[in-house]
Amino acid sequence: MMYSRKKTVEELPTELTVVWSCSSEQCKGWMRDNFSLSEAPVCFLCQSPMIKEERMLATVENTSYSQRK
């Protein structure tokens, strides 16, 4: 007898999320604003300045975000 291990892929809820994106064309670095440790972060990959953008991303809660502000 053969057993099948099919996992059902659950759709994650998404929302429009503020992110910081690297300003360098050659770098793909980005982070969610509510996970940033700075008001004006630099890219952790190439140290270029980052710019604010919005992306549709899976909903993630950062419970320590309110402590940063």
Side-chain angles (χ1 to χ4, degrees), residues 22-38:
C22 184
S23 61
S24 171
E25 297 263 335
Q26 295 79 30
C27 184
K28 297 193 183 290
W30 67 275
M31 71 178 95
R32 293 172 186 261
D33 180 52
N34 64 345
F35 282 84
S36 162
L37 298 176
S38 170

Side-chain angles (χ1 to χ4, degrees), residues 1 3 5-6 8 15 22 24 28-29 38 44-45 48 50 57 65 68:
M1 181 178 225
Y3 292 97
R5 289 189 171 211
K6 284 188 177 181
T8 56
E15 64 183 353
C22 184
S24 171
K28 297 193 183 290
S38 170
F44 57 94
L45 297 173
S48 293
M50 298 188 89
L57 298 173
Y65 176 68
R68 179 181 73 124

Side-chain angles (χ1 to χ4, degrees), residues 2-66:
M2 184 162 240
Y3 292 97
S4 172
R5 289 189 171 211
K6 284 188 177 181
K7 287 188 176 182
T8 56
V9 178
E10 187 178 324
E11 285 283 325
L12 296 175
T14 60
E15 64 183 353
L16 195 57
T17 307
V18 178
V19 298
W20 288 98
S21 296
C22 184
S23 61
S24 171
E25 297 263 335
Q26 295 79 30
C27 184
K28 297 193 183 290
W30 67 275
M31 71 178 95
R32 293 172 186 261
D33 180 52
N34 64 345
F35 282 84
S36 162
L37 298 176
S38 170
E39 292 295 320
V42 295
C43 180
F44 57 94
L45 297 173
C46 71
Q47 283 65 54
S48 293
M50 298 188 89
I51 54 174
K52 267 191 178 179
E53 296 180 342
E54 291 182 332
R55 295 184 184 188
M56 284 301 288
L57 298 173
T59 304
V60 175
E61 185 178 339
N62 184 353
T63 57
S64 62
Y65 176 68
S66 60

